[in-house]
């Protein structure tokens, strides 16, 4: 079993607290089978709200994926309490947004897609302070195109997410 953290880096303009909206959020990955090395060119999703039976009476997992090449049945879980918000102050730096328990496979690519939530953020005019949340919540943010824009009528600022990058890091 390998624990893998998904780290994101993004530029947030007048925004903070980027995170998946809820447990129904679908994390889309391409996986590499650890047994045979096969990397199917297909996006697979994992959701904390899904339970799939693992063969051999080994309980359930959030996703069970059978390798088409070697036939091994691999599985993955979203680790409880691993979800983190990506904040205004994190902009441009890689930060964990979630972590996964991987059995028999590892993610090699990630697609952010939709189902994100992010909060409006008013940058302070005072250089001593960072700023504060405007109170506006955008609750259906789609990052499929790699960037997203809207308008915060509370702070009266344009809001923008761009430069989304990801990396995978093994954790203990
Ligand atoms: Zn395989």
């Amino acid at each position: 079993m390998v624990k893998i953290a998904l780290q994101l880096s993004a530029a947030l303009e007048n925004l903070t607290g980027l995170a998946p909206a809820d447990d129904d959020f679908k994390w889309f990955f391409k996986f590499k089978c650890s047994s045979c090395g096969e990397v199917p060119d297909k996006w697979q999703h994992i959701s904390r709200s899904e339970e799939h039976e693992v063969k051999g009476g080994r309980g359930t997992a959030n996703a069970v994926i059978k390798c088409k090449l070697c036939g091994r049945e691999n599985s993955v879980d979203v680790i409880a309490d691993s979800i983190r918000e990506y904040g205004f102050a994190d902009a441009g730096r890689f930060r964990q947004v979630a972590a996964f328990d991987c059995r028999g496979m590892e993610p090699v690519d990630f697609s952010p897609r939709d189902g994100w939530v992010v909060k409006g953020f008013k940058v302070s005019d005072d250089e001593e302070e960072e700023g504060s949340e405007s109170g506006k919540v955008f609750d259906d943010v789609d990052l499929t195109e790699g960037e997203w824009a809207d308008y915060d009528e509370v702070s009266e600022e344009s809001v923008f997410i761009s430069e989304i990058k990801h990396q995978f890091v093994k954790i203990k």
Side-chain angles (χ1 to χ4, degrees):
M1 188 161 70
V2 188
K3 286 184 166 62
I4 307 243
L6 168 67
Q7 296 187 340
L8 285 193
S9 166
L12 304 185
E13 203 167 292
N14 301 313
L15 292 167
T16 194
L18 177 67
D22 53 35
D23 280 353
D24 290 333
F25 184 88
K26 288 185 168 73
W27 302 92
F28 279 88
F29 295 109
K30 285 182 183 174
F31 285 101
K32 178 181 182 177
C33 175
S34 305
S35 296
C36 69
E38 173 77 351
V39 184
D41 189 28
K42 184 184 172 191
W43 293 102
Q44 312 268 9
H45 80 265
I46 304 161
S47 172
R48 243 177 92 62
S49 64
E50 291 184 22
E51 290 290 339
H52 299 275
E53 201 172 326
V54 180
K55 268 188 200 152
R58 288 180 290 141
T60 60
N62 294 147
V64 175
I65 296 160
K66 187 172 179 173
C67 176
K68 287 204 165 58
L69 195 66
C70 74
R72 272 277 291 259
E73 196 184 72
N74 303 320
S75 62
V76 59
D77 278 309
V78 181
I79 298 173
D81 304 322
S82 69
I83 311 284
R84 310 255 187 282
E85 290 187 353
Y86 192 88
F88 179 81
D90 298 323
R93 280 181 286 184
F94 282 102
R95 290 283 186 252
Q96 176 178 324
V97 290
F100 303 86
D101 249 337
C102 303
R103 287 167 296 267
M105 60 184 179
E106 288 184 24
V108 293
D109 201 1
F110 169 67
S111 175
R113 312 236 176 157
D114 59 359
W116 298 88
V117 61
V118 70
K119 294 175 265 191
F121 186 80
K122 182 101 178 129
V123 182
S124 174
D125 295 329
D126 183 349
E127 280 180 25
E128 302 283 302
E129 290 171 39
E130 201 173 78
S132 57
E133 289 176 20
S134 72
K136 170 76 181 175
V137 176
F138 301 92
D139 59 10
D140 190 18
V141 175
D142 187 342
L143 300 178
T144 305
E145 301 300 321
E147 55 184 33
W148 172 88
D150 208 321
Y151 181 75
D152 182 343
E153 65 271 13
V154 182
S155 66
E156 301 184 320
E157 300 277 5
S158 296
V159 297
F160 197 50
I161 302 174
S162 61
E163 296 169 44
I164 303 164
K165 288 176 258 187
H166 71 270
Q167 66 182 21
F168 300 110
V169 177
K170 282 186 188 171
I171 54 172
K172 288 184 180 158

